[in-house]
Each structure stands twice: as C-alpha cells, then as structure tokens.
Amino acid sequence: MKILFVASEAYPLVKTGGLGDVVYSLPHALHARGADVRLVLPGYRALLRQLDQVRLLGWLEVRGAEGIVSARILETRHPDYAFPLWLVDCPALFDREGNPYVDESGRDWPDNAERFAVFARVAALLAQDALDLGWQPAVVHTHDWQSGLVAAFLAEQPARPKTVFTIHNLAYGGNFTHSDFVRLQLPGHWWSSEGVEFHGGFSMLKAGIVYADAVTTVSPTYAQEICTPEFGCGLDGLLRSRQYKLHGILNGIDTTIWNPSTDTHLPARYSVGRIQPGKRRNKEALLEHFLPLVDDAAMRAPLLGLVGRLVEQKGVDWVLAAIPVLLAETDVRLVLLGSGQAVYEKKLTRLAKQHPERLFVKIGYDEPLAHLIEAGADLFLMPSRFEPCGLNQMYSLRYGTPPVVFRTGGLADTVVDANDTTLEDATATGFVFETSGAPAFLAAIHRALDLYRQLKQWRRLQQTGMRQSFDWSESAGHYLALYSI
Ligand code: ADP
Ligand code: GLC
C-alpha cells in the first residue's frame, strides 16, 4: 500500500514536540509492515541545512497570498529514514531562521496562513502525482492544522486517494481571518459553518475534520473528551456529528530511541532485570549537571523530573504552586527542562535562583538532557490539564521513573494508579490524580514519596512500568486497518 504522509515536523530533522516523534515513528512502523511510504515536509532552512544530497523532482506552481508561488520539490534519502523524504522548497515561505511556527520572540509567523495553505496545495498535488513520478498513493495521512487543508483540496477532486487526518492537539486550531481566506483564494463554498468557517474566521484544523474521510486522534480517552464542551475547543459539536469517522488510536514510542539498555545519551545503561546501579549512576550524572558537588544527601533525596513545553496545557502553574510546598515540607530535589510561555520561564528561573541547591531549571530544548532526566529522576511529573496522548509519561515508564499524572487523555490510558489493589496485583505503574489543581497534584506526589521509601514496592512499580509494551506495531496495525476500510 502506498501512503503519503504530510506533516510540519519530523524527528530528528525538525521537532517542537511529540508530533515530530510520531511523524518519524509511525511511518517507519508502517514501512516495517510492508507499506510504501513517502513523507512530505516544508523545506525549512534548518531542515535543508542538515541534508547532504537532494534530487530535484520538479516544480509545482500554486496560488499564494499575492499571486502564484513556485515550489521546488526535492527528494532526499536521510540516514535515519528508511524511505524517501519530499521537501517543499519555497524560500519566501520557509527559508528563515527560527521555529517552524513562531519567530524568535515567540509570535506566530504573520504569514502562517499562506505558508501552510501553499504547503497543503502542493501536498495535495503530490498526492495526485502531479509531477508524473509514477507514484500514486492510496492514502494521504495528514497531521494537525498545518496540513488540515490537504483533505479539503483533495475533496474537490473526483478521483483521489483516501484521506486520514490525525488530531494531535485540538487546542491549536490554525485559525486565520476572512481576509486571509479571500487573499488565498480558497474555494468560496468552503465558507460556511459546515465548511471551514469558525467564529468569523476560518480554521485549518476544522478543514481536516470536515473534509477527511477518517479522523483520528492519539488516544481513546482523548477521542471521547474532544466530543465534550470541556475539551472540545468549540469543535465538540462538529466532532460529535462526525463520531462515525472519529477513531482514538494510542501512540506508541520508538523503543530503539527510548530504551534505557541502549540509550547512548546515558552514562550508564540499565534494564528491567538490573535497574541498579545503572539508574543511580544516571541520577548522579543528572545532579552533576547542575551541582558542583553531589553529596549523599542529594543522592538520597527523591529527585523529581519534568520535561515539556512550558504552556498552560502542561499544568505548569500547578507545578509552580507545588514547588514551594515541596521544598518546605520534603527533602526532594527537582529538575525541570522546557521552554514555552515567557511568564512560566521567568517564574521558574526566579524560583531556581532562590533554591540553587534543590531546584534545577534549564530553559531550552535539549534532547540529551531530556533522556538523562527520564533516566536519572526518581519520579516524573506530568500534571497536564489535558493531554491528547503524551509521550513523556511512556518514556518515563520505560526508564523506571514512575510518572505522576492527571487523569486525562492519553495519560489516563497509559498510567495505572498505585493503590492497594493495583499494588497487590502488580498492575500499578504510577500515580494518577483525579481532581484538577495543585492540591490534588501535591497529594499524589506525597503518595509517591511514601511509596518511594518502601524499596520493595517501589522496585515492583518500576518493573511493571518498564515492562509495558508501548511499541508502535500495535498502533500501526490499527492505522493499516483504517486505511483499508
Ligand atoms: P507535546 O507533544 O504536547 O509537547 P509529548 O509528551 O507528546 O508532548 O511529546 C513531547 C516530546 O518533546 C518528547 O519527545 C519530549 O522529550 C520532547 N521535549 C519537549 N520539550 C523538550 C525540551 N525542552 N527538550 C528536549 N525535549 C523536549
Ligand atoms: C501533541 C499532544 C501530545 C501528543 C503529541 C503526539 O503535541 O500535545 O499529547 O503526544 O501531539 O501525538
């Protein structure tokens, strides 16, 4: 089966979050099951810089905001990829410094509507083999708002591949104005509440939901949640009306990249059969990263880790409220890695300055440190208000670092709360709190710290977590079944 993936980021070339991980892992899992895959990405400057060799497949001309835009389609073979990558090289839109979506100061690129409308138009043409390459996909699988228009453009075509649209995060709508819609000369009949129109503007995410043949999201619980007003971001009514084509398929994790027994980012490797002394050595290395001298007290104290985007979704305000209490009432140390909203970055940095011996904060994006935190921390914090799937809690389970999570979305689907019953039958893997807010989060951390002192129970909890199978093959099977309907 020929499958065209269309996405705006892909590990390790360009990644801002879990989307990049999934866009790397899922097509590889499909490829491993015999699918013939191509992945189309925007030709960002940072991406093109990493490539040794590219081959020009041809030019495509599509409508932009001011007239016709010409895009070069490049093909490359990347050592980390088992199949060819196709890049939409359009320098006016993608050849710039900074993040795929925002400028250096964190503001959305002002021409995002044009950037991703052009990208989608080009991808839709490639899906129809407009370059006569002799490669015609049966399925086009698009991801999040940045590729939401692809299904809409394809829906205009009488003979076309099947379209699948995956919602990785409903909170990012790709919302633009009516004048963007007009300037981009999008088809007038899309402009209705049954089409892309959304609160006076239009939403590229909504386009994906309306026009794709099948819509998926990345966990079964989130698939239910987004059909409710609380999590639906104003699209719950639409999603309820499309439930017949909405599927929740849990993400997997890449167990070759995230594996404590082979992870080259770690100073010591370990496995479920022999967690120590490897894990302890990683804790030491993690503390050494921030402290000139690591004493016994620091090694004995529980180390709480967090990696993630510092945005409201991730419950950073609950973490900020919990930190002073934890520092006052317990002996824990905390290590936090992330970047995001300036206000959270500033508050965390200020707190860390006040507690240099116990609170370690690194603002930024740091892949090796993310691995070391997963391995070196004793407990992983992920109190997200909502979480479509979440990969970090699965990484932490695999690294023997039980997570503390709010019961929502993929967190609810992947972590089993430690209570008398689940500890007894050895199904417990972490700590789940049920009420939103810092007090319940703190209570869950306290429960975790109590168990941490009970070595045998703790070891069992770690081992159960490490044995969970989150690899991609099962999810890939669900996608293949969906493609074939
Ligand atoms: P989301 O996609 O909402 O950000 P996920 O848990 O699905 O959340 O995925 C986050 C991914 O991004 C993980 O691979 C995580 O390790 C990585 N990540 C997030 N922030 C950072 C950071 N500051 N440094 C390194 N990796 C990060
Ligand atoms: C999004 C979600 C996250 C999910 C990831 C990959 O960024 O916030 O929960 O794991 O996409 O699907």
Side-chain angles (χ1 to χ4, degrees), residues 423-474:
L423 285 169
E424 180 67 32
D425 65 15
T427 53
T429 59
F431 303 87
V432 185
F433 60 102
E434 312 254 336
T435 314
S436 64
F441 174 43
L442 266 169
I445 296 177
H446 279 296
R447 280 200 291 130
L449 296 178
D450 285 345
L451 204 72
Y452 180 72
R453 306 287 175 201
Q454 303 172 42
L455 200 63
K456 252 178 104 178
Q457 292 273 37
W458 190 260
R459 188 57 32 87
R460 202 156 162 205
L461 183 76
Q462 288 178 303
Q463 286 171 336
T464 309
M466 293 177 83
R467 288 200 182 101
Q468 299 299 304
S469 145
F470 292 124
D471 71 69
W472 267 103
S473 56
E474 195 179 324

Side-chain angles (χ1 to χ4, degrees), residues 18-19 22 168-169 218 251 309 313 387-391:
L19 172 64
V22 174
H168 293 264
N169 196 333
V218 288
N251 285 334
R309 293 180 297 114
Q313 173 191 347
E387 195 62 77
C389 178
L391 300 174

Side-chain angles (χ1 to χ4, degrees), residues 326-366:
L326 286 170
L327 291 177
E329 291 180 355
T330 73
D331 62 343
V332 301
R333 271 67 172 163
L334 299 103
V335 48
L336 316 181
L337 165 66
S339 63
Q341 287 169 237
V343 35
Y344 292 140
E345 293 185 354
K346 273 194 208 121
K347 283 188 180 167
L348 285 171
T349 308
R350 198 177 321 134
L351 259 179
K353 281 213 181 96
Q354 290 163 5
H355 305 278
E357 302 290 316
R358 294 184 58 197
L359 174 60
F360 317 117
V361 171
K362 166 135 188 214
I363 301 297
Y365 192 89
D366 187 334

Side-chain angles (χ1 to χ4, degrees), residues 89-118:
D89 180 31
C90 198
L93 302 178
F94 300 119
D95 183 24
R96 52 183 81 167
E97 286 304 321
N99 177 293
Y101 321 124
V102 298
D103 65 18
E104 276 106 340
S105 58
R107 270 185 301 259
D108 288 349
W109 290 112
D111 56 349
N112 269 350
E114 181 181 21
R115 296 170 79 224
F116 292 103
V118 165

Side-chain angles (χ1 to χ4, degrees), residues 128-180:
Q128 298 165 85
D129 196 17
L131 288 178
D132 275 331
L133 302 171
W135 195 89
Q136 172 67 64
V139 177
V140 181
H141 191 160
T142 58
H143 301 264
D144 273 355
W145 70 264
Q146 295 88 345
S147 53
L149 292 182
V150 178
F153 287 124
L154 284 171
E156 304 282 303
Q157 303 302 320
R160 59 168 181 83
K162 176 172 180 163
T163 51
V164 177
F165 177 63
T166 295
I167 302 167
H168 293 264
N169 196 333
L170 194 73
Y172 298 95
N175 297 326
F176 301 100
T177 62
H178 182 254
S179 66
D180 287 324

Side-chain angles (χ1 to χ4, degrees), residues 15 17-18 21 307-309 314 337-338 364-366 370 390-392 395:
K15 168 174 154 183
D21 291 317
V307 179
R309 293 180 297 114
K314 302 291 174 182
L337 165 66
Y365 192 89
D366 187 334
L391 300 174
N392 273 312
Y395 299 153

Side-chain angles (χ1 to χ4, degrees), residues 23-234:
V23 171
Y24 170 80
S25 307
L26 173 57
H28 276 100
L30 296 166
H31 173 84
R33 286 174 159 242
D36 181 9
V37 188
R38 300 287 181 277
L39 166 60
V40 192
L41 295 165
Y44 306 113
R45 176 182 292 181
L47 195 166
L48 293 179
R49 268 195 190 142
Q50 295 171 58
L51 305 177
D52 278 346
Q53 282 189 340
V54 293
R55 187 162 80 91
L56 178 64
L57 295 180
W59 278 266
L60 288 172
E61 310 222 305
V62 299
R63 177 147 296 278
E66 312 295 342
I68 297 298
V69 173
S70 180
R72 287 198 314 166
I73 311 304
L74 306 174
E75 181 179 80
T76 188
R77 300 299 308 233
H78 186 269
D80 290 323
Y81 277 80
F83 47 81
L85 301 176
W86 289 350
L87 309 165
V88 178
D89 180 31
C90 198
L93 302 178
F94 300 119
D95 183 24
R96 52 183 81 167
E97 286 304 321
N99 177 293
Y101 321 124
V102 298
D103 65 18
E104 276 106 340
S105 58
R107 270 185 301 259
D108 288 349
W109 290 112
D111 56 349
N112 269 350
E114 181 181 21
R115 296 170 79 224
F116 292 103
V118 165
F119 176 60
R121 280 195 201 268
V122 170
L125 287 174
L126 289 170
Q128 298 165 85
D129 196 17
L131 288 178
D132 275 331
L133 302 171
W135 195 89
Q136 172 67 64
V139 177
V140 181
H141 191 160
T142 58
H143 301 264
D144 273 355
W145 70 264
Q146 295 88 345
S147 53
L149 292 182
V150 178
F153 287 124
L154 284 171
E156 304 282 303
Q157 303 302 320
R160 59 168 181 83
K162 176 172 180 163
T163 51
V164 177
F165 177 63
T166 295
I167 302 167
H168 293 264
N169 196 333
L170 194 73
Y172 298 95
N175 297 326
F176 301 100
T177 62
H178 182 254
S179 66
D180 287 324
F181 186 88
V182 174
R183 280 190 315 135
L184 289 164
Q185 296 196 13
L186 297 174
H189 63 271
W190 291 1
W191 191 268
S192 85
S193 57
E194 283 297 299
V196 303
E197 196 260 321
F198 188 63
H199 294 295
F202 77 105
S203 157
M204 293 192 185
L205 182 96
K206 188 177 173 192
I209 298 170
V210 170
Y211 294 107
D213 298 315
V215 178
T216 73
T217 188
V218 288
S219 69
T221 295
Y222 193 61
Q224 289 170 8
E225 286 174 343
I226 56 178
C227 292
T228 66
E230 191 187 351
F231 293 95
C233 303

Side-chain angles (χ1 to χ4, degrees), residues 212-461:
D213 298 315
V215 178
T216 73
T217 188
V218 288
S219 69
T221 295
Y222 193 61
Q224 289 170 8
E225 286 174 343
I226 56 178
C227 292
T228 66
E230 191 187 351
F231 293 95
C233 303
L235 291 166
D236 46 294
L238 172 70
L239 285 160
R240 280 195 300 279
S241 74
R242 300 298 195 278
Q243 249 169 336
Y244 64 90
K245 64 169 184 180
L246 175 64
H247 309 262
I249 302 178
L250 192 70
N251 285 334
I253 61 173
D254 196 304
T255 48
T256 55
I257 299 168
W258 293 95
N259 181 348
S261 62
T262 55
D263 191 331
T264 51
H265 294 300
L266 306 183
R269 285 170 272 284
Y270 58 96
S271 60
V272 63
R274 190 149 189 261
I275 299 178
Q276 302 299 5
K279 190 157 169 55
R280 200 173 302 119
R281 173 68 197 107
N282 288 300
K283 177 172 182 176
E284 194 179 21
L286 179 55
L287 288 166
E288 280 165 356
H289 201 94
F290 295 96
L291 287 174
L293 192 79
V294 177
D295 57 12
D296 275 359
M299 280 302 287
R300 246 180 290 119
L303 182 58
L304 280 47
L306 180 151
V307 179
R309 293 180 297 114
L310 301 177
V311 296
E312 205 193 346
Q313 173 191 347
K314 302 291 174 182
V316 186
D317 48 332
W318 302 346
V319 175
L320 276 162
I323 288 173
V325 183
L326 286 170
L327 291 177
E329 291 180 355
T330 73
D331 62 343
V332 301
R333 271 67 172 163
L334 299 103
V335 48
L336 316 181
L337 165 66
S339 63
Q341 287 169 237
V343 35
Y344 292 140
E345 293 185 354
K346 273 194 208 121
K347 283 188 180 167
L348 285 171
T349 308
R350 198 177 321 134
L351 259 179
K353 281 213 181 96
Q354 290 163 5
H355 305 278
E357 302 290 316
R358 294 184 58 197
L359 174 60
F360 317 117
V361 171
K362 166 135 188 214
I363 301 297
Y365 192 89
D366 187 334
E367 197 94 23
L369 185 59
H371 284 248
L372 189 58
I373 292 175
E374 294 287 5
D378 294 304
L379 203 63
F380 192 84
L381 306 181
M382 195 153 169
S384 309
R385 283 192 162 72
F386 68 93
E387 195 62 77
C389 178
L391 300 174
N392 273 312
Q393 83 282 10
M394 293 194 262
Y395 299 153
S396 80
L397 287 167
R398 190 157 170 82
Y399 279 62
T401 309
V404 179
V405 303
F406 180 47
R407 196 169 80 161
T408 186
L411 300 176
D413 291 339
T414 53
V415 183
V416 178
D417 184 47
N419 57 38
D420 290 345
T421 318
T422 58
L423 285 169
E424 180 67 32
D425 65 15
T427 53
T429 59
F431 303 87
V432 185
F433 60 102
E434 312 254 336
T435 314
S436 64
F441 174 43
L442 266 169
I445 296 177
H446 279 296
R447 280 200 291 130
L449 296 178
D450 285 345
L451 204 72
Y452 180 72
R453 306 287 175 201
Q454 303 172 42
L455 200 63
K456 252 178 104 178
Q457 292 273 37
W458 190 260
R459 188 57 32 87
R460 202 156 162 205
L461 183 76

